[in-house]
Amino acid sequence: MIEYEYNDIYKLFDELLLIINENHPDIDLEPIKHAFEIAEEAHRPQKRLSGEPYIIHPIKVAIILAKHSLDASSIIAALLHDVVEDTVTGLESISDSFGAEIAHLVDGVTKISSLKNRTKSHEQAQTLRKMLLATIDDPRVIIIKLADKTHNMRTLEFQPPHKQNRIAQEVMDIYAPLAGRLGMSKISSELEDLAFYILHREAYTDITEKLTKQEEELDEYLNSIHAILKSNIDKMNIRASISGRIKHLYSIYKKMVHQQKPFEEIFDVRAIRIITEEVKDCYAILGIVHTIWPPVPSRFKDYIAVPKSNMYQSLHTTVTGPGKHFLEIQIRTEEMDVTAEMGIAAHWMYKESGKKDKSQMTDLSLLQNINKWRSELNDTREFMKVLKMDLYSDEIFVFTPQGKIIRLAKGSTPIDFAYAIHSEVGHHCSGAKINHKIKPLRTKLENGDIVEIITNPAKHPSDNWLKIVRSSNARYKIRSWIKKQQPTDSDEIHKKNRPAQKSEPDKMASFTINTEELSKITSSKNTGKSDIIVDNTMNVPIRLALCCHPIPGDPVIGFISKDKRISVHKKGCPSLKRLNIEPERFISIAWSDSNHMHPVKIAIEAIDRPNLLADITTELSQSKINILKLEANESKSGFAVIRLVVEVKSIDHLQFIIERMKSVKDVIEVYKLKEKVIKRK
Ligand code: MN
């Protein structure tokens, strides 16, 4: 029996070595073998619920990472990731054997594991997700943890049913969105589908069965699309690989729920991906696609020009394909495709030195490689820094003794914490234990502290507290309490101070303003004169090109289309070059310098929180920016997407607006939407 198990283990470990060796023959396997020996010995007495020896799990986690081409340190840390938590082997001995970097990775993974079971409600999950990122300074920790989760989810059947549900829910709430946030779409899709199977078994089986029934038809459809695209792209002498796929199950399910339609009515289960060599080819292919099938208005997204914050780049368009089926098409370069699937992990993929001309590798190229590697590392650090600043610049997360997470402003003290729990706890707060030790009330709390408040009914707020507290909530409550004690003296002070407090409900209400007024503005703007001066020809219908979306300030060029309109493109718009237009149809045009305002639609992606809309609208009004329209919806994952139409004078003005919006707390990303809002005849 035991003999058999050991054979099994070694076979699996050999498989890992094989994958590493196939992808990257120049990785040194010795430290990996050493890590395996240590982990195997440490876990030897343990078994998984499946009855397998425990070491199978870390090897499989390492295999997931090796298949993703991650570097040797990640693979070693994966082999050791449960050693500290589950066995007597300490972090120090790992540090002695493998160095500080690997010890740091193992420590990070262990820390995340110790956070489990603290996610009770949805809000908690959201907060935990932020905290995960805030307390981790090397993203490989998260990548290893995600691989760990993936393997645990694949073997979830061995857990008792109630545990399956809890784990799947946690994956759906935290780990899958986290993977998505970091751009690791491959892992996030797999996690979603695995959790979907546990949480909504019926829907899962239903969709699978229906897809299987239609398999042949879907295959045929995608094949015909493939053929049409291939012949058209070949004609233009562009090299591209085209693949068709069915979207992953959970994304189909989300569409059904979101659109409230049965499976039969969801048509965009099909998606096409076109991978090409250069950015200009992407736009050229986009032009080709749009000449074959009409694009669905407002579904075109240019993530090449404006990458997502997780670095994702691609063109997206939805067209009405054959049989009037909606068809989503993604177009991107090979490099973008790696980032799209691997996200942040792409930065830690093992890189072969001088892959193209190994024979000619000189000191110089080695130096260049090192420099490149270094600058990439810097970029990633920079990226994490920005990510963190966006998300948590001025917040910390601490725990109650029961494990509930409390979010506070950075620099908060136990008094802020007490008021965040309840006003009465605040008013009678007499002392605090931080991480089980009594500490002064003025102590600044840190991320992850466990805080316990000692109350005494005889204790009351004092003026001194106002110097200690950080949050406006606590400050306000302390002032109110003091005011109640001395109603006459301090009235004047409060009048001065009150307006500085954010009165949340009022501001929330203020954004619903002027929808009527603004419809007047928009209509008057749109019936007004054109903002474009055209040589010699006035009164020609003008439209702004959908491919490059010029706005006033952009250098532009026009061409007369077959239907006798002038189509305005940005100068150098790549789709223009590809259209093979006769030179005489080009016409030089310029923006008039009238002070016309243009309605421009922008999107703001943010972590949803109370007062978010109020803060955004306040920022806009303080910057004298007019909002014409505003729509906000909170996505299920706790992120809010706010779309607004603002009045924009010029490109510089738009940049200014975007910068202002980015300065609002919790805002992650702001960009101009590519939808056409500038209506012109
Ligand atoms: Mn594990």
Side-chain angles (χ1 to χ4, degrees):
M1 187 67 193
I2 283 170
E3 202 53 34
Y4 172 76
E5 281 174 356
Y6 282 125
N7 277 340
D8 244 17
I9 293 168
Y10 282 101
K11 244 192 260 166
L12 192 65
F13 183 64
D14 277 345
E15 193 186 319
L16 170 67
L17 294 182
L18 211 68
I19 295 168
I20 298 171
N21 201 46
E22 257 173 32
N23 290 348
H24 309 296
D26 50 344
I27 280 192
D28 179 8
L29 296 178
E30 282 316 307
I32 295 173
K33 288 180 186 162
H34 184 38
F36 165 71
E37 277 158 21
I38 289 182
E40 195 275 319
E41 198 186 327
H43 288 301
R44 202 172 288 167
Q46 286 179 290
K47 281 203 166 36
R48 296 204 96 211
L49 287 176
S50 61
E52 288 173 323
Y54 194 90
I55 186 69
I56 300 284
H57 165 66
I59 301 175
K60 291 230 165 141
V61 174
I63 286 179
I64 293 174
L65 295 175
K67 283 187 176 163
H68 282 77
S69 291
L70 275 166
D71 65 359
S73 301
S74 304
I75 290 168
I76 293 168
L79 287 169
L80 299 169
H81 83 271
D82 278 331
V83 158
V84 175
E85 201 195 1
D86 295 350
T87 78
V88 291
T89 309
L91 206 55
E92 265 170 46
S93 80
I94 291 179
S95 179
D96 288 346
S97 309
F98 298 97
E101 184 195 4
I102 283 161
H104 183 72
L105 290 174
V106 173
D107 186 37
V109 178
T110 309
K111 269 189 185 145
I112 302 180
S113 308
S114 68
L115 282 173
K116 68 191 165 193
N117 293 339
R118 286 196 163 151
T119 58
K120 292 271 151 50
S121 66
H122 184 72
E123 209 239 334
Q124 295 274 83
Q126 185 62 21
T127 315
L128 175 62
R129 189 158 89 220
K130 291 168 70 175
M131 187 164 142
L132 275 177
L133 282 174
T135 48
I136 289 160
D137 49 18
D138 189 330
R140 283 179 297 181
V141 170
I142 305 171
I143 297 166
I144 297 164
K145 188 67 206 171
L146 287 169
D148 177 38
K149 274 286 155 193
T150 306
H151 182 246
N152 284 337
M153 285 299 288
R154 286 178 188 169
T155 52
L156 200 59
E157 60 192 293
F158 299 106
Q159 295 277 357
H162 69 279
K163 266 196 160 181
Q164 291 187 10
N165 267 313
R166 186 183 59 71
I167 295 168
Q169 192 63 55
E170 188 186 52
V171 163
M172 205 56 123
D173 286 345
I174 303 173
Y175 292 98
L178 182 63
R181 190 88 198 93
L182 297 174
M184 301 163 68
S185 65
K186 222 171 155 183
I187 283 191
S188 101
S189 305
E190 179 174 357
L191 286 176
E192 276 184 351
D193 277 357
L194 288 165
F196 177 40
Y197 175 73
I198 302 291
L199 297 173
H200 307 277
R201 180 98 29 120
E202 260 177 51
Y204 182 98
T205 351
D206 186 48
I207 295 175
T208 320
E209 276 170 14
K210 285 173 172 156
L211 280 174
T212 321
K213 259 188 221 157
Q214 289 188 19
E215 207 173 358
E216 232 170 274
E217 191 191 327
L218 284 168
D219 270 0
E220 231 169 77
Y221 185 85
L222 289 173
N223 285 341
S224 72
I225 298 282
H226 185 278
I228 298 170
L229 280 171
K230 187 162 185 345
S231 75
N232 278 280
I233 293 174
D234 282 353
K235 259 186 241 162
M236 304 295 275
N237 278 328
I238 299 172
R239 265 198 268 175
S241 79
I242 306 160
S243 60
R245 67 189 172 100
I246 306 297
K247 289 183 182 166
H248 77 280
L249 297 176
Y250 185 65
S251 74
I252 296 174
Y253 175 71
K254 268 197 297 193
K255 270 182 208 291
M256 289 165 59
V257 173
H258 191 239
Q259 301 174 12
Q260 301 196 325
K261 283 181 182 165
F263 176 84
E264 288 71 24
E265 286 173 43
I266 303 289
F267 289 117
D268 48 354
V269 298
R270 310 158 178 84
I272 296 279
R273 186 168 296 156
I274 306 174
I275 313 291
T276 182
E277 287 174 347
E278 286 178 65
V279 172
K280 67 173 172 42
D281 298 334
C282 295
Y283 288 100
I285 291 171
L286 180 75
I288 296 169
V289 168
H290 285 175
T291 56
I292 309 174
W293 301 294
V296 178
S298 85
R299 291 286 297 269
F300 171 68
K301 295 187 194 95
D302 184 350
Y303 294 122
I304 292 182
V306 188
K308 289 190 188 180
S309 63
N310 61 22
M311 305 185 291
Y312 177 88
Q313 283 189 296
S314 187
L315 298 176
H316 287 192
T317 187
T318 301
V319 297
T320 314
K324 298 263 180 277
H325 291 319
F326 286 151
L327 178 68
E328 192 186 290
I329 299 182
Q330 303 177 341
I331 308 164
R332 54 190 180 231
T333 64
E334 276 165 48
E335 213 182 328
M336 291 172 190
D337 192 49
V338 173
T339 308
E341 293 206 326
M342 305 281 298
I344 194 169
H347 283 256
W348 278 279
M349 280 167 72
Y350 182 80
K351 291 182 188 73
E352 284 171 80
S353 41
K355 191 180 172 187
K356 275 180 185 161
D357 49 357
K358 226 172 185 170
S359 55
Q360 294 177 357
M361 207 167 75
T362 62
D363 284 348
L364 184 68
S365 72
L366 189 66
L367 200 68
Q368 277 167 346
N369 271 324
I370 292 170
N371 274 333
K372 193 170 162 237
W373 175 75
R374 198 179 280 153
S375 73
E376 276 166 10
L377 190 69
N378 281 342
D379 280 350
T380 317
R381 288 216 178 116
E382 207 54 49
F383 169 74
M384 279 309 278
K385 215 168 87 192
V386 171
L387 191 74
K388 281 202 226 171
M389 274 186 356
D390 278 353
L391 298 179
Y392 342 94
S393 57
D394 40 12
E395 286 181 345
I396 55 163
F397 304 92
V398 295
F399 293 108
T400 67
Q402 291 76 35
K404 189 174 181 238
I405 295 170
I406 305 289
R407 168 161 57 176
L408 292 170
K410 201 174 189 169
S412 286
T413 61
I415 300 176
D416 292 289
F417 177 88
Y419 278 103
I421 303 281
H422 196 279
S423 306
E424 286 305 306
V425 178
H427 289 335
H428 303 296
C429 149
S430 67
K433 283 184 186 170
I434 301 173
N435 302 325
H436 313 294
K437 282 185 197 127
I438 300 230
K439 295 274 168 156
L441 285 175
R442 60 167 190 282
T443 312
K444 290 196 169 143
L445 298 176
E446 287 185 21
N447 257 329
D449 280 349
I450 299 168
V451 186
E452 189 181 342
I453 297 296
I454 302 157
T455 55
N456 177 348
K459 181 84 187 176
H460 295 299
S462 73
D463 281 337
N464 263 340
W465 284 12
L466 288 171
K467 292 176 201 150
I468 300 171
V469 295
R470 172 74 180 71
S471 63
S472 50
N473 171 50
R475 199 175 299 263
Y476 174 68
K477 284 175 179 162
I478 295 166
R479 281 214 180 97
S480 320
W481 193 90
I482 295 173
K483 189 184 165 189
K484 267 192 209 150
Q485 311 307 307
Q486 322 146 296
T488 44
D489 283 332
S490 48
D491 261 9
E492 202 44 43
I493 302 167
H494 297 308
K495 268 184 198 148
K496 273 182 207 146
N497 283 323
R498 279 296 292 278
Q501 303 292 334
K502 286 188 176 173
S503 61
E504 308 184 359
D506 290 353
K507 277 190 184 152
M508 281 301 277
S510 71
F511 87 88
T512 46
I513 45 149
N514 2 306
T515 28
E516 273 170 72
E517 248 197 324
L518 53 93
S519 66
K520 270 186 249 159
I521 305 169
T522 23
S523 55
S524 71
K525 288 273 146 36
N526 288 335
T527 50
K529 310 165 261 180
S530 164
D531 304 320
I532 290 181
I533 301 172
V534 180
D535 281 352
N536 304 325
T537 40
M538 295 304 277
N539 298 325
V540 180
I542 288 172
R543 69 175 169 212
L544 300 177
L546 284 169
C547 47
C548 55
H549 301 272
I551 64 168
D554 285 331
V556 280
I557 186 146
F559 82 87
I560 302 163
S561 62
K562 286 186 186 126
D563 54 350
K564 299 280 179 261
R565 290 159 181 253
I566 292 177
S567 206
V568 180
H569 288 254
K570 280 188 195 168
K571 269 190 185 152
C573 165
S575 64
L576 214 54
K577 284 178 201 151
R578 289 280 171 186
L579 283 170
N580 271 334
I581 298 155
E582 304 91 300
E584 60 271 22
R585 278 170 59 201
F586 279 107
I587 181 164
S588 86
I589 51 173
W591 302 97
S592 75
D593 11 285
S594 69
N595 259 339
H596 276 171
M597 300 291 264
H598 296 258
V600 170
K601 195 164 191 178
I602 61 175
I604 300 172
E605 292 179 6
I607 307 267
D608 202 25
R609 61 165 165 92
N611 246 21
L612 175 68
L613 262 182
D615 290 358
I616 286 172
T617 47
T618 307
E619 183 59 49
L620 282 164
S621 75
Q622 279 171 359
S623 313
K624 306 226 179 329
I625 298 158
N626 288 332
I627 311 171
L628 299 183
K629 201 176 160 195
L630 187 149
E631 46 179 285
N633 41 42
E634 194 216 330
S635 71
K636 224 184 157 193
S637 57
F639 284 91
V641 179
I642 297 159
R643 294 187 183 77
L644 33 96
V645 179
V646 289
E647 284 201 295
V648 177
K649 268 182 250 168
S650 63
I651 250 196
D652 292 347
H653 188 221
L654 176 64
Q655 205 44 49
F656 167 74
I657 295 172
I658 288 175
E659 289 312 318
R660 294 316 312 152
M661 289 302 89
K662 280 187 181 162
S663 74
V664 175
K665 195 176 103 183
D666 284 340
V667 169
I668 299 160
E669 198 176 32
V670 182
Y671 48 89
K672 181 188 166 201
L673 282 169
K674 301 288 167 175
E675 291 165 42
K676 201 168 130 187
V677 286
I678 309 177
K679 294 198 183 88
R680 215 175 299 264
K681 282 241 162 159

